[in-house]
Structure formats: C-alpha cells, structure tokens
C-alpha cells in the first residue's frame, strides 16, 4: 500500500511543500503540494528530482573515530571528553560549533542552547553567515529586529517589483514562476532587474540595470535623493513612525546624479527611468538576495534599500515593502533560535543584559554567553591560530564554501580535535575529521523549517534511518548529557524541542519582540505531527492569522520608531594591473551548495556537467580563449581551473563562476579558494561577489571525454570533471602531458575488468584516439581523445551506456563518435525535467513552434518547473533571427 507524506523541500528559502509517495517496494516519488501556500504545487528542477538523491551511495552509516568504525557510545563519550578537557584547560571560548541552514530548527535550537547556555560561549556560527547576515544586520539597524515585513503574495500584488542582486529564475525558481505568472495575467506589472550579469531572470524584466559590482549603495542613495526632490516622500509616515531622516538626507545630498552615473556605470536614460518608476508607483516590492548581502558593504546596501521604503511609507501593506530572499531552507529558522554568533534565541540580543538574564532563567542554565562569539571568517582564523582547539562542524562543507577555502582547510587539518556530523562519508571537510557522526538526511529526519516569508513548515520522515544514522539534535543532546546537563537535554523527540522553542519565544514577551509562536508552546505530539504551515507571529490567546509588519509603525526599537541609516557609497573597484578582472561567484539552476545531494542526480547534472566561467567575447579574445577552452583563474588566495563559457550576458571586465564544484567532482575547481576573507564590518558576511582575479588559457596537450558504467577512480589528469549520467558517469579531461598507454589509463581509471579488450583506433596525424570497451552487448566505457576540446555528441554518447551493442555497426558508430541517422543527437540539455536538448528545440522551432508554449506542447520542455523557459525563448529568438537574415 502506498504511503503519502507531506513534507518540505530541503533546498532554497522558498520553502516549497512536497508530497513524497513511497510504494510497496520502497520506491519514492515526489510532487509539489498544491495545498502549501509557498508553492501551490509548483516545484523547481531540483525539487522535482529529490527522489533521485535518496540512494545510500557514499552514505556515512556508522560513527567513525580516526577512520575506524566505532559505536555511538564510544564516539559520543570521546566528543564530550575532549570538549570538556579543552574547556577546562583553555576556557569555553576554546571550543566552537559551525552549523548550517540545512539543519532543522530543532537541531539548531539544541546546538545554540548547548553552546551559549551550558558551555557558556557564543562561538557558534553558521553557513547562513555567508548568505543572509547582512540582511539581519540591516533589519536590526532599521527595524530594531530581524523582521521580514512582507509575504510572497506581495510580489503578485505589486505594480513594480525590483529584483536586485537576485537571479530569481535560477536561485528561487518557484517564486520566479509566481512572479512570471502574475505578470502574464497583469502585463502592467513592471519588473526591474539590477544585476551586473544579464541572467535568465532578465527574461521577464522590463528594465535591466547592468550595474557595476557593489554600486548598489550609490544607486539607492541616489534614489533616496530623487524621492525627496520629486515629492514622493510620505511626510506623515516619516514624522509619525521614523527617526534619522534628516541625517540620511544630508548624507545623500553629497551624492549627485552624476556621481551615481559614474559609480554605477549606467546610462542616464536607464537610471532616470528606474527612479521615475519607483517614485511614481505606490505598490513597490524590492527583493534582494546574495548580490546585495555578499559584500563588504552588504549591510549598508540593505539599509540604503530600506531607507527608500521607509521614506515612502511603502512597507507592510499589500503589494509593497522590502523583501529579503533567504538562500537556504532554514536560514530563517536558525536566525529564530540565535544560530548566529551575535544573537540569542527568540530574536533576543546577546549584548542586552536583560535578554541574557531572561534566556538563562528560562533555560535554567549555569551560565550564559556574555558577548558575541566569533563570526565564520574569524572563527576559522581562530582555528588556524590555535585559539579554537575543538571544533564541531554540522551539515555543512566549509572547505568548499568558505572564503579563502585553502586556508580554511589548512586550519581544520591542523585543529587538535574536529568532529563532523554529515550524511556522506567523503566530503572535502569530512576527510579531516577525527570523529565522523552519521546524520539523518532529508526524508529521514523530522522537524520544522522557516521560509523567507516567516512561514514555518514541517519536514517529515518517510524513510527509515539507514545504518546507525541519528538526528543532529539527538547527537547534541547526548553530548549535553555527557557534559553533566542531563535534565536540560532530556529530549525524547523533536516535538518536545519545538514546544520549548515556542515557549521561549513567548517568555516575558507581551509583544515586545517580533518573533513569538507561543500559541504552540503546549502543542501535543499528535498536533505537532499534523502541523500545517503557519506564519509567525502566532501569539498565545490570539486568533491564528497571517500578517505583515510596520504599516502602522510599531518598530522594535525602544521608542517604537524605525531608523533611517545614513550610508555612503564606498569604493567598489578592487582590480589592478596584476588582477584585472572582477570575479562574481554564485549558483546555477540545477545544483545546490557543494553538490552532496544534487550531485547524485543524473538529470540535474545534465544541464551543466562541469565547472565553468562566463566571459565576455572581447575579454576572451584578448586573453586568447575560445569557447570550451579551459581557463585558469587566479587571485592572491589561490587558483582554479574551469571551462570557458563565452557569452554577451557577461559584462566586460567581469567573470562569473559558480561555487558548487569540489574535490569530489573536479580536479581543482573549488571557486571559494579564490575569495579573499574580506567581510562586511557589521555583519561579518564575506564579499563573494567582487574578487580581483586574472584569467589565462590553460594549455593542455590533449583533451578527452569519457563515459563509463562504473564510477571513475582517481583520474590523474591536470583537469577532470566528473558527473553522474543516465546509466553511469561522464568525465571531462585535459592532460598537460601525453600518456604512454591510453588503453591502460582507461583500464585503471574507468575500472575495466581484466580480459576486456578495447575496440578503437588512433589517428597519428590528428592525434585523435577512440576506445570503447564492451562486455557482450553492454558498453562498459568509451574514451574520446583529441588535441583540441573533444567534439563529440555528449548526450548521445551517454545514452550508449544503456543501448544494446550486439550489432557491430553500432559499435563502430560509437567509436567514430557520430550518432546514426536513426539516433539524432539531442544536444546539450536545456530542460532537465524532461531531458530535452537544444537540438530538439531547434528542430521544433524550424518545424513551426515559434513560442515557448508551442515548444512545450511539442516536447514538454518548460512545462514542469519552468526554470528553462528563458533559455527556450532565447533559442527560439536566435532561430527566428537566423532565419530572417
């Protein structure tokens, strides 16, 4: 009998509802939950492929100590003993936790309680520091609290939506689809995109402002001045509910329209049009994400945006307000429990003695952290210099994701005691652990998460725990007990933790804090199991409702007023003669963070299968790089090798590279090794969008492409990139020197059994080599080598892993690298949901499908998550333009 479980997606901060179905054989299928108010049944490509990521390949199934399997008692006894010894000898600040927005709120709560209330240190920080901490700091400066005022519905109700520093189409695809659908119904809705790159989100934008990196403060300070000069300021709102307007106006007066033009690099006509739209449209929502936050001036960027909404009173009413788009599924939940080193639980302030006393009394803890702890970059510096001697890393991979990643790896490697809780045995971080603890993954764990619009939803288990894997909250509670705090950590289930979390939010609150879910403080177990999504606050004794904040003031500063914050533009250009390009790092559509989950899906790897960097055609020409060449990118911190993608979407002088690839999937593509440890002075968030680098062509003697039934092992090539493929694996390679025995290389790396001889040929003149290994009709591996990047139909070659090769002619066609007339090459994948390639779309356009909808009818492409619709439209436009010439 099939089992259906309602749960929540584990990817971005949209927080989509998912229905997981498990059949009698244990097979899992997923679909969107039409009843969930975040997504109403929509899922993106990553969410749609969740069932493909649930295998146990590579899972950590048992605790390990120094690489040897151990029991839970032995492992946890050692963790508790080493932490206790370190604290006793060096004090509480000699230990640290580094946690993650991938944790559930219940896990986060226990970690925060253990470190801040019982160890007595605030040295607990999170990878949310890398994505949302500038929003937190900006909110707290302006509002007196870390409050997102609006809801997703506001994007659909607005008459103008400003997307700044957000590639919504790829990073929050379901919200993008909601916005695109709203615009289709109401074409008068205007969308402005502010981004140095012309991303796929530009597909629905009426105006794209290709701003210079980090020029957002200048842009919004200029907008503030324009609002004043055009009489768009809501004088009544400003007078009744805010403070600091005069000082902010004075600071803005020092930035002229010409200054804004020079700093942003925008055409005057575009800038005037943006300012006109904003000043004359009442219902305005400004969405901002990593392009704003990941900056040395991130907090000032946030406040420059908030100033404009406060000045116009466009906040907290339907269809208007600033909106911070959260990066991770539970970064918001982490903020609610004080997961950042400079916060306390329930949005209380660690620097406030009254808040510290309140939390300590509620927890009945022997001590409470009295000062902020080390933020992520400083925390790993403290690991490096020996101040932190025991480190527990949970559900994150800082050797890949932290700035100056090589230095972070060296610090972890040298740390006297490192604990890693994860679901995979082999990650770039786990290889340096003294103790590895197996955690539950999505589908196995149970708890809550909070999305970008303050909506709390349940993640529910529908799979049995594999091996000895246990919940993160359980691991933390067991260590807490072993440290002598038995009663404080006597949790038997996540429901008990949630009730305590809810009770703390209401403790001595009386509406004085924004975060309050006291209505759930006495939630019964069966009600927790059946909890439906709700938006906070939900205060005790009040009727359940959804809400916005600050339409009538009532801010959380002591005087109840919101604060304008005077900000000034800073110098943004970090390039010089040695490092002339600006590197911008980010995400792509079908991968997530460091690929420990999405890397398992062949479908998700089909869209973009290897690390790459976007360059403008003229920049590429000047450094002698052609499309598909390999390039070396270098900063003072390190080097990376990636594939060149030459496109006019990229601005001149800038390079974009995604941050997902790691040492498990590529030779040297950890992009964050290039990022310097420069941070925002207030939030501590790293500046990951503005890095001075140099780029040069990577010179190889040979290039290769391979498909393999077995997972390749230790490719000894100067460059390699591995990806899951349908029926096996795909491998891109480049060699700095030729190999004497290519067939022998294939046997070792592609795991060819003894006795299997290759079919193939070698062309002495061109240097091309083609080798294929068969076991009866089954293709085991195929290897294509050339002196230039290999021109072989990748998706067709991958499909041969699942084909019958009893026919000798088919074997020779494979060796030749050319599909037969009966098996046309689909081309590079555009639609991951249905596996539709660019060649198929081109053929459909030539056959008369001249709209995205028509292509969808013919091929299904773009009809599921819709993330590829912008690419499909670009292909259609290109085909029609070529036909018209």
């Amino acid at each position: 009998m099939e089992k259906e479980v309602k749960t929540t997606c584990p990817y971005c901060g949209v927080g989509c509802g998912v229905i997981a179905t498990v059949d009698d054989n244990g097979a899992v299928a997923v679909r969107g939950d039409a009843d969930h108010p975040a997504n109403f049944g929509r899922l993106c490509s990553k969410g749609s492929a969740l069932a493909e990521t649930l295998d146990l390949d590579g899972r950590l199934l048992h605790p390990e100590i120094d690489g040897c399997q151990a029991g839970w008692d032995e492992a946890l006894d050692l963790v508790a003993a080493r932490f206790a010894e370190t604290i006793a000898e060096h004090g509480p600040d000699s230990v640290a936790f580094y946690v993650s927005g991938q944790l559930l709120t219940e896990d986060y709560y226990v970690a925060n309680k253990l470190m801040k209330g019982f160890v007595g240190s605030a040295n607990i920080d999170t990878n949310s520091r890398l994505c949302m901490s500038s929003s937190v700091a900006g909110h707290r400066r302006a509002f007196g609290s870390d409050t997102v005022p609006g809801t997703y519905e506001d994007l659909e109700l607005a008459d103008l939506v400003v997307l700044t520093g957000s590639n919504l189409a790829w990073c929050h695809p379901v919200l993008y689809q909601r916005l695109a659908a709203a615009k289709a119904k109401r074409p008068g809705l205007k969308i402005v995109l502010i981004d140095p790159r012309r991303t796929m989100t530009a597909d629905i934008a009426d105006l794209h402002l290709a701003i210079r990196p980090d020029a957002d403060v200048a842009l919004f300070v200029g907008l503030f001045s324009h609002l004043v000069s055009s009489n768009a300021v809501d004088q009544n709102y400003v007078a009744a509910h805010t403070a600091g307007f005069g000082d902010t106006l004075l600071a803005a007066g020092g930035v002229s329209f010409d200054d804004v033009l020079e700093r942003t690099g925008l055409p005057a006509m575009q800038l005037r049009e943006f300012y006109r739209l904003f000043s004359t449209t009442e219902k305005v929502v400004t969405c901002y994400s990593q392009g704003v936050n990941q900056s040395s001036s991130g907090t000032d960027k946030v406040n420059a945006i908030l100033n404009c909404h406060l000045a116009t009173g466009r906040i907290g009413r339907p269809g208007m307000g600033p909106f911070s788009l959260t990066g991770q599924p539970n970064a918001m939940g982490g903020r609610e429990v004080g997961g950042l080193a400079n916060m306390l639980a329930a949005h209380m302030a660690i620097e406030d003695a009254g808040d510290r006393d309140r939390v300590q009394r509620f927890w009945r803890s022997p001590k409470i952290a009295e000062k902020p702890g080390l933020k992520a970059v400083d925390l790993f510096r403290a690991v490096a210099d020996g101040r932190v001697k025991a480190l527990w890393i949970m559900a994150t991979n800082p050797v890949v994701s932290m700035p100056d990643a090589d230095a972070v790896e060296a610090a972890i490697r040298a740390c006297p005691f490192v604990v890693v809780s994860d679901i995979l045995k082999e990650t770039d971080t786990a290889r340096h652990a003294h103790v590895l603890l197996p955690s539950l993954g999505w589908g196995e764990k149970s708890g809550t998460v909070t999305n970008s619009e303050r909506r709390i939803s349940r993640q529910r288990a529908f799979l049995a725990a594999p091996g000895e894997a246990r919940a993160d909250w359980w691991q933390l509670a067991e260590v807490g007990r072993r440290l002598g705090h038995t009663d404080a950590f006597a949790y038997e289930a996540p429901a008990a933790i949630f009730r305590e979390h809810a009770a703390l939010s209401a403790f001595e609150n009386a509406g004085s804090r924004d975060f309050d879910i006291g209505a759930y403080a006495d939630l019964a177990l069966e009600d927790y199991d059946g909890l439906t999504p709700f938006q906070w606050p939900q205060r005790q004794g009040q009727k359940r409702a959804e809400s916005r904040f600050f339409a009538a003031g009532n801010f959380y500063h002591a005087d109840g007023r919101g604060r304008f914050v005077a900000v000034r533009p800073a110098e943004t250009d970090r390039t010089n003669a040695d490092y002339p390009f600006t590197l911008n790092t980010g995400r792509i559509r079908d991968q997530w963070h460091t690929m420990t989950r999405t890397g398992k899906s062949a479908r998700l790897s089909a869209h973009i299968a290897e690390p790459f960097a976007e360059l403008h055609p003229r920049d590429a020409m000047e450094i002698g790089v052609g499309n598909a060449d390999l390039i070396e990118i270098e900063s003072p911190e390190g080097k990376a090798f990636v594939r060149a993608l030459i496109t006019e979407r990229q601005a001149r002088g800038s390079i974009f590279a995604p941050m997902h690839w790691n040492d498990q999937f590529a030779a040297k593509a950890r992009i964050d090794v290039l990022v310097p440890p420069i941070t925002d002075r207030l939030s501590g968030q790293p500046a990951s969008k503005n890095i001075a680098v140099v780029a040069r062509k990577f010179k190889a003697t040979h290039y290769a492409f391979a498909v393999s039934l077995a997972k390749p092992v230790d490719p000894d090539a100067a460059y390699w990139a591995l990806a899951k493929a349908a029926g096996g694996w795909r491998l891109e390679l480049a060699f700095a020197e030729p190999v004497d025995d290519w067939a022998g290389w294939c046997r070792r790396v592609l795991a060819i059994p003894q006795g299997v001889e290759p079919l193939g040929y070698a062309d002495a003149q061109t240097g091309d080599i083609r080798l294929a290994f068969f076991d009866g009709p089954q293709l085991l591996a195929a290897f294509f080598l050339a002196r230039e990047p290999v021109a072989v139909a990748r998706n067709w070659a991958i499909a041969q892993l699942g084909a019958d090769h009893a026919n000798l002619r088919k074997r020779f066609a494979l060796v030749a690298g050319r599909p037969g007339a009966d098996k046309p090459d689909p081309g590079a994948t555009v639609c991951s949901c249905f596996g539709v390639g660019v060649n198929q779309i081109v053929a459909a356009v030539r056959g008369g499908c001249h709209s995205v909808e028509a292509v969808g009818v013919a091929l299904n492409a773009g009809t599921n998550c819709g993330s590829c619709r912008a690419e499909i439209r670009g292909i259609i436009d290109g085909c029609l333009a070529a036909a018209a010439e």
Side-chain angles (χ1 to χ4, degrees):
M1 183 177 179
E2 284 190 342
K3 176 177 68 173
E4 280 197 352
V5 175
K6 288 194 171 188
T7 185
T8 308
C9 181
Y11 291 121
C12 75
V14 176
C16 295
V18 175
I19 297 176
T21 303
V22 186
D23 69 17
D24 293 340
N25 298 316
V28 178
V30 300
R31 68 182 190 274
D33 181 357
D35 296 328
H36 198 289
N39 60 312
F40 299 108
R42 298 179 181 92
L43 288 180
C44 73
S45 57
K46 294 187 291 292
S48 298
L50 272 167
E52 299 164 27
T53 69
L54 299 176
D55 62 65
L56 298 184
D57 184 36
R59 282 294 296 266
L60 177 64
L61 298 175
H62 309 279
E64 292 187 3
I65 297 174
D66 293 328
C68 299
Q69 184 173 326
W72 270 110
D73 283 338
E74 182 185 3
L76 293 172
D77 285 348
L78 176 61
V79 172
R82 289 297 298 271
F83 269 74
E85 291 165 4
T86 304
I87 293 165
E89 186 173 352
H90 303 285
D93 288 336
S94 65
V95 302
F97 293 169
Y98 185 66
V99 297
S100 166
Q102 301 293 302
L103 292 176
L104 303 184
T105 300
E106 291 76 3
D107 305 316
Y108 246 133
Y109 180 88
V110 178
N112 181 67
K113 179 180 178 180
L114 176 58
M115 178 57 76
K116 288 176 180 162
F118 289 82
V119 171
S121 170
N123 280 352
I124 173 171
D125 212 43
T126 165
N127 60 12
S128 299
R129 177 73 60 192
L130 312 182
C131 66
M132 297 310 298
S133 54
S134 291
S135 285
V136 174
H139 288 161
R140 292 179 73 179
R141 285 207 295 185
F143 306 150
S145 59
D146 176 24
T147 309
V148 174
T151 70
Y152 293 161
E153 184 187 36
D154 292 328
L155 276 72
E156 297 160 326
L157 298 176
D159 294 320
L160 171 64
V161 174
V162 180
L163 302 172
T164 180
S166 167
N167 184 6
L168 198 70
W170 277 18
C171 298
H172 298 91
V174 168
L175 274 189
Y176 168 82
Q177 288 304 317
R178 287 184 64 168
L179 180 58
K183 186 170 176 60
K185 289 180 182 177
R186 195 160 48 89
L189 166 61
K190 300 295 183 183
I191 298 172
V192 175
L193 176 66
I194 303 168
D195 198 309
R197 300 168 62 218
R198 186 170 181 82
T199 66
M200 290 300 166
T201 306
D203 179 60
I204 60 170
D206 298 280
L207 179 64
H208 171 217
L209 303 181
I211 194 172
R212 285 180 178 151
D214 274 348
D216 309 71
V217 172
L219 179 69
F220 283 94
V221 166
L223 173 59
F224 182 87
S225 293
H226 177 82
L227 294 171
V228 174
S229 63
S230 60
N231 296 317
V233 172
D234 185 335
Q235 301 285 357
N236 292 331
Y237 186 91
V238 170
H241 302 304
T242 71
F245 181 85
D247 290 341
T248 302
L249 179 59
L250 185 64
V255 182
S256 69
F257 186 82
D258 287 342
D259 291 335
V260 177
L261 289 176
E262 182 178 355
R263 288 178 179 274
T264 62
L266 296 172
M269 184 180 297
Q270 283 192 347
L271 189 61
R272 288 193 179 96
E273 176 62 7
F274 170 51
Y275 286 178
R276 183 194 69 78
L277 281 171
F278 198 106
S279 63
T280 59
T281 308
E282 182 181 24
K283 289 187 175 182
V284 181
V285 172
T286 304
C287 296
Y288 54 93
S289 193
Q290 312 306 1
V292 166
N293 296 316
Q294 289 182 334
S295 168
S296 59
S297 57
T299 304
D300 283 352
K301 289 183 184 183
V302 171
N303 285 113
I305 293 167
L306 301 185
N307 286 343
C308 295
H309 280 272
L310 290 174
T312 54
R314 296 171 186 163
I315 187 168
R317 291 183 284 158
M320 59 188 85
F323 202 107
S324 164
L325 295 172
T326 316
Q328 292 192 80
N330 202 30
M332 289 287 279
R335 287 148 67 172
E336 292 159 11
V337 301
L340 293 168
N342 55 317
M343 299 173 71
L344 277 180
H347 284 195
M348 285 184 269
I350 200 168
E351 63 272 15
D352 186 297
D355 282 351
R356 293 197 304 271
D357 174 68
R358 184 177 298 110
V359 174
Q360 185 176 3
R361 283 188 287 109
F362 180 87
W363 280 342
R364 299 178 181 178
S365 63
K367 61 188 80 173
I368 194 82
E370 296 186 349
K371 65 182 188 300
L374 295 168
K375 298 168 185 173
V377 170
D378 288 334
L379 187 153
F380 284 101
R381 284 189 178 125
V383 175
D385 66 25
R387 283 175 288 156
V388 169
K389 301 176 187 301
L391 175 66
W392 192 345
I393 299 168
M394 304 171 206
T396 187
N397 197 3
V399 170
V400 181
S401 58
M402 280 292 295
D404 201 8
D406 279 347
V408 169
E409 180 168 31
I412 295 172
R413 186 189 301 119
C415 186
F417 188 64
V418 176
V419 183
V420 173
S421 297
D422 209 323
I423 64 171
L424 290 188
K425 183 173 181 177
E426 295 182 1
T427 72
D428 294 40
T429 300
R431 62 193 176 201
H432 301 301
H434 299 97
V435 177
L436 273 175
L437 301 178
S439 295
L440 299 178
W442 183 81
E444 301 154 5
K445 58 186 179 179
S446 179
T448 57
V449 293
T450 307
N451 73 0
S452 294
E453 63 169 351
R454 297 177 277 109
R455 192 175 302 280
I456 296 175
S457 301
R458 287 278 275 113
Q459 270 195 25
R460 295 181 173 91
F462 53 87
L463 297 173
E468 295 184 85
R470 299 299 299 265
D472 293 283
W473 67 261
W474 180 87
Q475 299 172 29
L476 289 154
E478 285 295 317
V479 170
R481 292 171 185 170
R482 284 165 168 80
L483 290 173
H485 313 298
T486 304
D487 292 341
F489 295 95
Y491 305 115
E492 294 184 357
I497 305 169
F498 183 80
R499 285 195 296 267
E500 183 177 314
H501 166 51
L504 175 56
S505 75
F507 185 59
E508 298 179 357
N509 189 344
S512 59
R513 297 190 301 275
D514 62 337
F515 179 71
D516 187 337
I517 55 170
Y520 298 92
D522 298 316
L523 197 67
L525 176 61
E526 60 270 20
D527 293 327
Y528 178 78
D529 289 341
L531 193 66
T532 56
F534 70 92
Q535 193 178 47
W536 62 259
Q538 300 291 338
R539 305 184 194 277
Q540 286 177 323
Q542 295 185 5
K543 185 178 179 180
R544 176 168 167 164
E546 298 194 355
S547 59
R548 296 174 174 87
F549 282 87
F550 310 135
N554 299 315
F555 293 92
Y556 290 93
H557 288 293
D559 59 3
R561 290 176 174 268
R563 295 288 188 271
F564 288 95
V565 179
V567 295
R568 294 172 176 79
E571 185 57 47
T572 62
D573 188 2
R574 295 195 173 102
T575 62
N576 54 52
D578 294 326
Y579 300 98
F581 290 101
T582 297
L583 174 66
N584 170 19
T585 70
R587 297 175 177 174
I588 61 173
R589 187 187 81 190
D590 291 350
Q591 295 295 347
W592 176 253
H593 281 200
T594 64
M595 297 170 61
T596 50
R597 182 185 290 113
T598 51
K600 288 174 168 279
S601 169
R603 176 158 45 131
L604 295 179
S605 295
H607 182 231
I608 298 174
E610 62 178 320
F612 69 94
E614 290 185 358
L615 295 89
H616 188 276
R618 289 181 63 184
D619 289 335
M621 182 178 63
E622 287 178 3
I623 63 174
V625 170
N627 214 16
D629 278 346
L630 293 171
I631 59 171
E632 176 186 357
I633 307 175
E634 182 178 3
S635 78
E637 278 67 36
K639 295 180 182 180
F641 300 96
V642 297
R643 187 77 65 181
L645 174 58
I646 300 172
T647 172
E648 292 188 354
R649 293 192 301 268
Q650 185 61 51
R652 284 218 67 190
S654 292
I655 297 173
F656 170 80
M659 50 73 70
H660 308 290
W661 274 268
N662 54 68
D663 289 353
Q664 314 305 310
F665 289 96
K668 197 173 179 64
R670 288 187 294 126
I671 288 298
D672 279 315
V673 305
L674 305 172
V675 180
I678 297 171
T679 61
D680 180 279
R681 72 189 191 285
L682 294 173
S683 70
Q685 183 155 352
S688 300
K689 300 288 188 181
N690 187 350
I691 304 122
V693 298
V694 61
R696 60 182 73 92
K697 183 175 180 177
F698 176 78
K699 296 178 180 179
T701 62
H702 292 82
Y703 298 84
F705 172 71
V707 295
S708 174
L709 202 62
K711 185 175 182 179
V713 179
D714 296 330
D716 53 345
Y719 170 87
W720 59 267
L722 178 67
K724 198 81 168 62
W729 299 84
R730 58 180 289 172
L731 184 62
E732 300 281 352
L733 300 139
F735 298 87
E737 297 177 356
V739 172
D740 291 336
D741 179 8
W742 289 109
W745 186 95
C746 289
R747 291 182 188 282
R748 183 183 62 78
V749 173
L750 306 181
I752 306 300
Q754 290 294 323
V756 176
E757 294 299 323
L759 177 69
Y761 75 88
D763 187 321
Q765 184 174 355
T766 64
D768 288 1
I769 292 176
R770 303 283 190 268
L771 298 173
F773 298 83
F774 298 91
D775 181 6
Q778 172 69 62
L779 173 67
L780 299 179
F783 179 76
F784 306 89
L785 183 83
R787 288 176 181 155
E788 299 295 331
V790 176
V792 67
R794 262 70 171 169
N795 280 352
W796 169 81
I798 291 165
Q800 303 313 298
L801 290 170
D804 186 317
H805 288 88
N807 185 304
L808 191 59
R809 182 177 296 176
K810 289 185 66 175
R811 297 190 182 198
F812 282 117
L814 172 62
V815 171
R818 293 189 297 271
D822 61 329
K823 294 287 185 181
D825 172 27
T829 299
V830 174
C831 175
S832 297
C833 294
F834 294 105
V836 180
V838 62
N839 294 347
Q840 294 170 287
I841 297 171
V842 168
V845 175
R846 290 172 178 169
C849 298
H850 293 171
S851 69
V852 175
E853 290 71 23
V855 170
V857 170
L859 301 172
N860 283 328
T863 61
N864 181 40
C865 79
S867 300
C868 61
R869 290 172 65 88
E871 288 178 81
I872 295 171
R873 186 172 288 109
I875 294 166
I876 294 169
D877 292 344
C879 288
L880 296 180
E885 291 179 354

